[in-house]
Amino acid sequence: MAQFTVRPASVTDARAMAELFAAAAEERTGIATEPPVNVEERTAQFSASIAESIVAVADGQIVGHIHTGVRRYGVGELGMLVDREWRGRGVGSALIQAAIAWARDQGLHKLSLEVFTHNTAGIALYRKCGFVEEGHRVKHYRRANGELWDSLVMGLPLSETSDYPVRPLDS
């Protein structure tokens, strides 16, 4: 199996990140954005916040990335995607672990994310990494085809002394 590395993103990665984002949008299942994606605009957006992004790279190609949007109240909002061919191969876990370390270095006290309820692999990954469900948004996302999709809000406290309710992981 091919190996990958995880590293902080650089501005030179922004275009490849935008292209991977556009490919994920084409799938119409895992992220809220649907096609068409303006890759130039998305490249500029990724460039502007590149310091908050981490990439997974295999054979010189970006195969996944995670962004931690830092909010002024000490919470990081995660957004992640992994190339279809690299899912289930440890990329997501490695990106999340890198984002957790990065967030702690930034002094954040919590990470939060949203995931579609049909994304069972994503939910299992987040639970494995310690995230717990905090809420359920019912019929929250209107899709281009008119469907209304639910999402889960999940959180992970970063404090060692948190009294946050932790549920056993589904192995």
Side-chain angles (χ1 to χ4, degrees):
M1 179 179 351
Q3 297 297 313
F4 63 90
T5 59
V6 172
R7 63 168 173 75
S10 70
V11 173
T12 59
D13 297 322
R15 174 71 185 210
M17 292 167 65
E19 290 170 353
L20 183 56
F21 184 89
E26 287 289 336
E27 295 176 36
R28 296 181 185 266
T29 59
I31 63 175
T33 301
E34 293 183 84
V37 171
N38 182 325
V39 173
E40 296 303 323
E41 187 176 289
R42 189 58 66 165
T43 298
Q45 290 172 347
F46 283 135
S47 293
S49 63
I50 205 71
E52 298 175 338
S53 294
I54 297 168
V55 294
V57 181
D59 296 325
Q61 300 294 313
I62 292 179
V63 297
H65 57 86
I66 192 165
H67 180 265
T68 307
V70 177
R71 305 299 178 242
R72 69 177 181 270
Y73 40 84
V75 173
E77 299 283 341
L78 292 185
M80 178 179 75
L81 53 91
V82 175
D83 181 273
R84 181 186 298 230
E85 299 300 316
W86 283 87
R87 293 177 195 153
R89 297 169 69 179
V91 174
S93 293
L95 286 169
I96 291 171
Q97 293 308 316
I100 290 169
W102 183 88
R104 283 189 170 127
D105 287 347
Q106 300 303 307
L108 300 180
H109 71 273
K110 180 180 179 182
L111 289 174
S112 181
L113 60 86
E114 222 175 316
V115 59
F116 291 129
T117 56
H118 64 262
N119 186 350
T120 55
I123 293 167
L125 170 63
Y126 301 134
R127 285 181 178 152
K128 180 180 90 170
C129 292
F131 285 81
V132 297
E133 295 171 27
E134 297 180 333
H136 185 160
R137 298 179 116 177
V138 178
K139 297 184 180 184
H140 191 75
Y141 287 90
R142 183 182 308 275
R143 307 303 287 172
N145 67 5
E147 292 178 353
L148 298 173
W149 286 5
D150 293 6
S151 68
L152 294 178
V153 177
M154 300 181 81
L156 174 71
L158 299 175
S159 168
E160 304 270 332
T161 61
S162 173
D163 59 354
Y164 201 74
V166 177
R167 297 182 192 146
L169 299 178
D170 299 335
S171 298

